[in-house]
Amino acid sequence: MSAPERIPPRSVTATDPAAAELLARGELTVRGRIREASNAALYCTVTHQDREAACVYKPVAGERPLWDFPDGTLAGREAAAYEVSRATGWDLVPPTVLRDGPYGEGMCQLWIETAPGAELLALVDGEEPEPGWKAIGFAEAGEGRTALLVHADDDRLRRLSVLDAVINNADRKGGHLLPTADGRLYGIDHGVTFNTENKLRTLLWGWAGEPLPEEALEVLRTLRGALTPSGPLTAALSPLITPAEIDATRARVDSLLASGTHPEPGTDWPAIPWPPV
């Protein structure tokens, strides 16, 4: 009698409602290390029952100390960024959980396959961007040449810029933008977020000072309601970041609603991350 044929597990995508449960409960198998990452980042597969996916696992034990963030908190901040993204309804951050793994507690995030050829950033000659682009600033382009750094005037990027303002993202680089074949855009690497001090550093300054679209204002109102002391987002964030950091997040939402505009670069903190990509 032959053994029954094994049914291969079903692959899970970022839009699958089961993705977060798979990441939280599945068995992690380390396949390799992502050497470009500044902290320990392991490429893994995660399997649970009939589902399987590729993911990134960043153990707390592999985090490098930072002078302006408490040690061992980056993984929790990554999971917190996902919770805020999910609360917006925009789903700009891949499913992410904080869980135990082969090297201890860490962040586990669904792996995103990117689509080649999606141009979101560019260096161009001239002092003004072409239609469809937003200026970031001037940058050295090599051989003594200065060029204008621009990003696409893209609704997906604009939503991400609002999310970054809410979570106080101190490191929005070009390499953290992942467009996919189905037209979605995801942002990754949110370990340096939710500081109580203003540390917003991003390449997405193209809308600075402009009125927030009504869509963004409606999302911010939703977040304000979810961030009340007894709100669902407050409950989701409480195990991941400190009460003071939740209060600061609530204050940033209130400030954005009061101004009705995209934030502008500050003067007491570098506005653009380095390197920008």
Side-chain angles (χ1 to χ4, degrees):
M1 182 176 179
S2 61
E5 182 180 356
R6 180 180 180 273
I7 300 175
R10 178 170 63 86
S11 180
V12 170
T13 65
T15 57
D16 193 319
E21 180 186 12
L22 171 63
L23 292 171
R25 302 181 60 188
E27 179 181 356
L28 279 176
T29 302
V30 177
R31 303 297 184 184
R33 181 169 183 173
I34 303 171
R35 298 193 177 277
E36 297 83 0
S38 56
N39 295 294
L42 305 174
Y43 178 78
C44 303
T45 53
V46 59
T47 307
H48 180 64
Q49 296 178 346
D50 64 338
R51 295 180 174 89
E52 182 179 66
C55 61
V56 177
Y57 162 55
K58 297 181 182 179
V60 171
E63 294 179 5
R64 295 189 308 167
L66 298 173
W67 68 269
D68 53 346
F69 285 84
D71 293 350
T73 65
L74 305 190
R77 295 173 194 280
E78 294 239 35
Y82 166 67
E83 293 295 343
V84 175
S85 167
R86 188 171 67 150
T88 66
W90 288 332
D91 294 324
L92 296 168
V93 178
T96 310
V97 301
L98 188 66
R99 58 161 291 171
D100 194 34
Y103 299 103
E105 185 178 59
M107 179 278 281
C108 187
Q109 184 176 82
L110 198 72
W111 180 266
I112 299 296
E113 292 291 343
T114 59
E119 193 173 15
L120 298 173
L121 297 167
L123 279 171
V124 298
D125 293 321
E127 297 187 356
E128 295 292 336
E130 296 290 330
W133 294 88
K134 289 285 189 176
I136 303 168
F138 291 95
E140 292 296 327
E143 300 180 352
R145 184 172 70 91
T146 298
L148 184 64
L149 181 61
V150 297
H151 66 69
D153 188 2
D154 186 305
D155 287 341
R156 301 170 302 171
L157 288 179
R158 191 166 193 172
R159 292 169 184 156
L160 194 57
S161 75
V162 175
L163 176 67
D164 284 342
V166 170
I167 66 176
N168 198 15
N169 192 351
D171 195 33
R172 175 61 71 206
K173 297 177 179 178
H176 301 167
L177 305 173
L178 305 182
T180 62
D182 62 359
R184 299 185 67 90
L185 177 70
Y186 294 96
I188 60 168
D189 285 348
H190 297 108
V192 287
T193 50
F194 296 101
N195 202 298
T196 55
E197 299 179 8
N198 178 27
K199 292 186 179 291
L200 184 60
R201 291 196 306 175
T202 177
L203 288 176
L204 305 180
W205 288 117
W207 299 281
E210 292 186 13
L212 288 161
E214 180 56 37
E215 175 197 36
L217 292 171
E218 186 59 36
V219 163
L220 290 168
R221 295 184 194 107
T222 298
L223 290 181
R224 181 164 61 184
L227 281 166
T228 61
S230 60
L233 183 53
T234 299
L237 294 178
S238 292
L240 303 171
I241 58 176
T242 68
E245 289 164 344
I246 295 174
D247 288 344
T249 303
R250 188 180 298 118
R252 288 191 294 271
V253 171
D254 288 342
S255 178
L256 287 166
L257 283 169
S259 71
T261 61
H262 286 272
E264 298 188 66
T267 57
D268 54 352
W269 182 256
I272 296 176
W274 190 264
V277 177

